Amino acid sequence: MSKGRGSRGGRRRGDETGMRRAGLGRDQEKYGEVLFSTTYDVDVEIVRSAAALYGSPRMRGIAVGMVALGIVGLWLYLAVGIHHIVLLIASLILMASGYVAARNWNNVQAWALMGSNLGASGDDVRRHVVVTPAEVIVEGPGAETCRYELARMRRVRHDADGCLASFGRGEVAYFPASKAGAGRLHALEQFLEEQGGQ
């Protein structure tokens, strides 16, 4: 019985490799030399993984700073005796919003990611991402195709779950680790970092 399972798994891997080669052939016809390509559906897991890489790491520090600033304002109101209702309200708003943002940082990042091209999917969640020596192409949602020159890339972030390349406000390309081998993904990360992503 174990022979049958192993051969089915081997056939499945062979089918996936064949599909990958066919997709690579189509990509080469459309875009020329292809260094990397992957296709995936945007789901909750993909959004959670990509959100962890999206946004500036300094922004969470700003949320914590808002809490500290609110505490200072509250201290000024209570201890020093500066009794302006505007100071009290502003301090409370700063503290509350900073605390909520810092405490729910993953949700804040996921919400911000939904405003990017990765989140603008509606019902069509399929994405196909192609990397050539000069650009990154994101196909989807629907018939939409976005082309980003590597020279415009602002930063690349990666972790064990994937790699996110940012090209500007709301323009990202995500490469999930679940759809690429560890070696392929590591080579892509190195290539993108060499192209100027920091």
Side-chain angles (χ1 to χ4, degrees):
M1 219 183 243
S2 63
K3 279 185 179 180
R5 285 185 188 156
S7 65
R8 272 189 253 140
R11 256 186 273 135
R12 189 177 303 131
R13 277 190 293 272
D15 291 345
E16 288 175 7
T17 304
M19 288 172 50
R20 187 176 295 143
R21 284 187 186 137
L24 184 62
R26 282 191 304 271
D27 290 341
Q28 287 175 337
E29 287 176 19
K30 286 168 98 174
Y31 305 117
E33 183 183 356
V34 174
L35 303 176
F36 183 88
S37 72
T38 188
T39 302
Y40 60 90
D41 292 332
V42 178
D43 58 11
V44 174
E45 185 67 27
I46 295 286
V47 169
R48 188 179 54 78
S49 299
L53 302 171
Y54 189 68
S56 173
R58 288 178 256 150
M59 293 305 288
R60 186 173 189 163
I62 290 173
V64 172
M66 288 171 55
V67 172
L69 193 59
I71 290 172
V72 167
L74 197 58
W75 178 79
L76 286 172
Y77 183 82
L78 296 173
V80 176
I82 303 175
H83 294 291
H84 292 287
I85 192 72
V86 174
L87 177 62
L88 176 64
I89 292 172
S91 298
L92 292 174
I93 289 172
L94 278 173
M95 275 187 357
S97 58
Y99 175 77
V100 168
R103 180 111 168 124
N104 299 304
W105 192 246
N106 292 339
N107 294 336
V108 170
Q109 285 183 300
W111 175 76
L113 184 67
M114 291 290 90
S116 73
N117 62 329
L118 187 63
S121 62
D123 294 333
D124 185 6
V125 294
R126 176 70 45 141
R127 295 292 184 281
H128 182 66
V129 185
V130 178
V131 179
T132 69
E135 63 185 350
V136 175
I137 300 107
V138 179
E139 295 178 358
E144 183 178 335
T145 300
C146 300
R147 299 175 90 117
Y148 306 115
E149 294 177 14
L150 289 174
R152 283 187 44 222
M153 187 169 40
R154 292 190 178 172
R155 69 178 167 266
V156 176
R157 292 211 179 100
H158 51 85
D159 61 11
D161 295 324
C163 176
L164 184 83
S166 298
F167 296 91
R169 188 172 207 97
E171 298 175 335
V172 298
Y174 183 64
F175 308 92
S178 61
K179 301 297 178 184
R184 285 181 59 211
L185 190 63
H186 184 68
L188 174 68
E189 291 164 359
Q190 285 183 328
F191 171 75
L192 292 174
E193 286 174 350
E194 288 170 3
Q195 298 303 310
Q198 294 146 5

